[in-house]
Amino acid sequence: MPSGPLSKFAAKTAQDVCACFKLGDEARPLLRPGQTPAQYLDALMDKQQYQDAVRFLAHGLPKREAVWWACFCAKGLAGTNLPQPDAAAIKTAERWVAEPNEENRQAAMPAAEGARFGTPAGCVALGAFFSGGSLGPPNVPAIPPAETLTGDAVAGAVMMAVVVKEPEKAAEKYKAFLGRGIEIANGKNLWK
């Protein structure tokens, strides 16, 4: 599955993206100096290093696109059968994607708590909350989130979504989710 140019990536090299997270042992030797993000993602896919490919996309995409991708993955397999707190968390994250303002970002934390942090939906909402602003309450000096937190939350959401149901089908779900992430990285299937 060739990735295409990954036009939404700001990073010019794969090394720039990989500096944001820890690569797995089998993915590390695939990284070459000067390699483009698309070349490295293709190498990860060819070697079926799906978890590292998820982390790579989650950290390479702009935060808004990354959260959008995680929303798709978190609800993609469950359809309309999501528990109410999970559906609310995803809806809150989608609201932030559509209108990435401070009010919508702040609403993501209670939604994540309601869905629980250890769920794909909870991680999706965390990804939106970690996108900027302050982690603290309004009455204290600003506590900006680390730049990698949204990518970490998005990667967690996608990887959990792969195994939450029918983990024996993980490889095909990884391919489907990564395919959607690649489309988003190329400016397709974005929010309206």
Side-chain angles (χ1 to χ4, degrees):
M1 167 184 353
S3 61
L6 305 179
S7 59
K8 291 286 187 175
F9 274 44
K12 299 299 178 212
T13 70
Q15 288 174 312
D16 292 339
V17 178
C18 292
C20 299
F21 66 97
K22 185 177 181 200
L23 281 172
D25 292 340
E26 294 176 19
R28 206 171 302 120
L30 302 174
L31 183 61
R32 308 266 186 259
Q35 198 172 32
T36 67
Q39 290 168 332
Y40 186 58
L41 184 58
D42 287 345
L44 290 171
M45 297 293 290
D46 287 345
K47 297 294 183 181
Q48 299 177 0
Q49 297 302 303
Y50 300 131
Q51 290 182 352
D52 282 298
V54 166
R55 287 185 197 98
F56 188 78
L57 268 178
H59 286 280
L61 284 166
K63 292 174 183 178
R64 192 175 182 193
E65 284 82 352
V67 172
W68 180 245
W69 176 43
C71 289
F72 167 80
C73 296
K75 69 180 183 182
L77 296 174
T80 58
N81 296 326
L82 284 171
Q84 192 282 326
D86 292 11
I90 294 168
K91 187 174 185 80
T92 300
E94 289 174 332
R95 190 175 311 117
W96 174 82
V97 168
E99 293 183 56
N101 59 41
E102 185 61 12
E103 180 183 340
N104 288 339
R105 187 192 72 80
Q106 285 286 337
M109 179 52 88
E113 290 170 334
R116 297 175 328 282
F117 299 142
T119 65
C123 285
V124 166
L126 275 178
F129 179 73
F130 290 150
S131 66
S134 177
L135 299 180
N139 60 337
V140 301
I143 306 165
E147 276 301 309
T148 60
L149 287 179
T150 292
D152 292 341
V154 165
V158 174
M159 287 191 275
M160 280 190 277
V162 166
V163 297
V164 74
K165 288 185 181 176
E166 300 179 306
E168 67 279 3
K169 295 181 179 178
E172 75 183 59
K173 290 189 275 184
Y174 270 121
K175 288 178 194 174
F177 288 168
L178 285 162
R180 183 57 168 260
I182 290 166
E183 289 175 358
I184 291 168
N186 287 313
K188 298 176 185 160
N189 291 318
L190 297 176
W191 55 93
K192 295 187 184 337

